[in-house]
Amino acid sequence: MTKTCMMLFTCAFLSCGNQEAKQTTAAVDTPSTGIGTNTSDFHADSAYRYVEKQVSFGLRVPNTAAHKACADYLVSELKRFGAKLYVQEARLTAYDGTQLQAFNIIGSYNPELPKRILLFAHWDSRPFADHDHDPKNHHTPIDGADDGASGVGVLLEIARQLQIKDPGIGIDIIFFDAEDYGTPAFETRYVPDSWCLGSQFWGKNPHVPNYKADFGILLDMVGAKNATFYKESTSMKYAAPIVEKVWSTARALGYGKYFIHATGGAITDDHEYVIKGRNIPCIDIINYDPETPVGFGHYWHTVKDNMDNIDPATLKAVGQTVLEVIYTY
Ligand code: AHN
Ligand code: ZN
């Protein structure tokens, strides 16, 4: 764990403790009007197959053949589901100076409408299992079934649903590249802003000039069995009403065991750069485990982040909740 990350999580746990104490006496969220009127049905088995397919390409690490093959697959799927496609190609510099050939893949629905929601996830996978309990694995790339592929899988199924039923508002789906090439734990020098390179680039160079959305939702690690999503602190700082809307929708749909009514730590993630770069309020739905020292699942950045870890029930909870938010907005 890096020093910066450690500091983040120390604060996180302090605030988390307070929030949990409050939580026991907090009132149940009241569902916003319209919940239950959405008739779309998120197919978790389809989302699961999209996750599996990404993993089947191999390690989606920039500058590899598997990475390029997966990019082509994601473009073709978004096209198949009727989105207008933009592919942003960028040369990005990693923490160690490596030049990364990166692709941000963007699919838009109703691109002419001013009322829009931005949905995003990262599609690259981490080149090192630097948090594996076995140091021999620290330089081994990970499958990233949850860390990367799960969010993209959910968004592909959402894209399929958007084609079936027009939401009547604009939706942009962005698959960001090079999120997970951040300074590894085995590196002695922590390089700031080394995570989220694709979203940093897009924040400065949006796919359309002056791009704007009403709000954004990031899906990061949304497929693990028994995942828990806490109200992430940066999301609360910049987009508290969106957090409340999403969490109360999830609860109304019966997914309260996943969407926990308590605050979690501040996490450096793609939403931060979309907030800063485009001034769009964004939230991060991310599996957070206050019981582990790193704050994430036990499999996080280990070789165990594979398909065994993915549960369609979790994909369903997240996908159905986001669809409900879209169709009732
Ligand atoms: C840090 O570890 C600083 N942020 C976590 C962002 C991340 C990595 N999400 C998935 N992988
Ligand atoms: Zn990661």
Side-chain angles (χ1 to χ4, degrees):
M1 193 92 229
T2 62
K3 220 193 238 163
T4 315
C5 257
M6 222 31 180
M7 275 162 53
L8 281 177
F9 284 112
T10 310
C11 306
F13 291 135
L14 288 173
S15 68
C16 205
N18 293 339
Q19 288 295 331
E20 271 172 26
K22 265 189 231 156
Q23 135 104 4
T24 47
T25 53
V28 172
D29 287 340
T30 28
S32 60
T33 49
I35 286 173
T37 54
N38 161 41
T39 54
S40 70
D41 182 20
F42 182 92
H43 284 206
D45 49 348
S46 300
Y48 185 90
R49 281 200 304 274
Y50 304 143
V51 176
E52 207 169 37
K53 178 76 184 178
Q54 292 169 74
V55 172
S56 78
F57 286 103
L59 313 157
R60 286 95 58 219
V61 172
N63 303 343
T64 66
H67 180 261
K68 185 66 180 67
C70 186
D72 293 344
Y73 161 73
L74 297 176
V75 169
S76 73
E77 288 296 75
L78 285 176
K79 277 192 186 151
R80 182 161 78 92
F81 300 143
K84 174 173 177 166
L85 257 290
Y86 305 81
V87 179
Q88 229 180 20
E89 213 176 320
R91 256 168 74 89
L92 304 171
T93 305
Y95 73 96
D96 60 353
T98 306
Q99 295 292 301
L100 307 175
Q101 194 63 34
F103 304 94
N104 289 329
I105 299 164
I106 301 149
S108 293
Y109 292 85
N110 297 323
E112 71 290 352
L113 297 182
K115 183 172 171 177
R116 353 195 23 86
I117 302 175
L118 170 62
L119 307 173
F120 52 113
H122 78 91
W123 73 272
D124 60 308
S125 61
R126 184 152 179 79
F128 0 78
D130 53 332
H131 281 276
D132 203 276
H133 70 90
D134 183 351
K136 281 202 295 295
N137 291 332
H138 285 182
H139 292 267
T140 306
I142 63 171
D143 279 356
D146 194 35
D147 193 353
S150 67
V152 172
V154 168
L155 292 182
L156 283 176
E157 172 58 8
I158 286 176
R160 196 178 72 85
Q161 296 289 336
L162 294 174
Q163 184 178 39
I164 296 169
K165 189 169 126 188
D166 184 351
I169 56 169
I171 304 285
D172 303 292
I173 293 176
I174 306 187
F175 300 145
F176 285 120
D177 202 354
E179 186 273 347
D180 229 349
Y181 218 110
T183 320
F186 52 73
E187 191 63 44
T188 44
R189 196 174 61 97
Y190 185 78
V191 180
D193 293 316
S194 58
W195 302 87
C196 310
L197 299 177
S199 57
Q200 292 190 51
F201 178 85
W202 178 87
K204 295 182 193 113
N205 311 279
H207 62 291
V208 293
N210 305 313
Y211 175 83
K212 198 71 181 141
D214 300 356
F215 62 90
I217 301 176
L218 165 59
L219 305 184
D220 192 4
M221 301 192 271
V222 292
K225 195 173 168 55
N226 300 321
T228 47
F229 308 117
Y230 284 74
K231 300 173 180 181
E232 186 270 336
S233 289
T234 302
S235 312
M236 286 303 283
K237 182 171 173 191
Y238 294 98
I242 309 303
V243 173
E244 298 309 336
K245 182 204 285 265
V246 170
W247 261 249
S248 64
T249 299
R251 179 175 293 222
L253 293 175
Y255 302 127
K257 99 174 169 83
Y258 297 98
F259 288 80
I260 310 299
H261 188 52
T263 307
I267 296 163
T268 298
D269 211 342
D270 289 321
H271 67 318
E272 199 181 306
Y273 295 98
V274 176
I275 294 169
K276 281 188 200 156
R278 305 305 322 153
N279 197 24
I280 296 170
C282 291
I283 70 162
D284 190 4
I285 302 177
I286 183 165
N287 184 18
Y288 181 82
D289 185 348
E291 301 298 318
T292 66
V294 288
F296 300 117
H298 60 90
Y299 61 86
W300 182 69
H301 292 181
T302 77
V303 295
K304 290 219 174 85
D305 185 0
N306 56 32
M307 284 309 290
D308 297 344
N309 194 27
I310 302 298
D311 183 355
T314 308
L315 300 171
K316 171 78 179 176
V318 174
Q320 194 66 52
T321 297
V322 175
L323 276 182
E324 189 76 26
V325 168
I326 292 170
Y327 287 108
T328 57
Y329 181 57

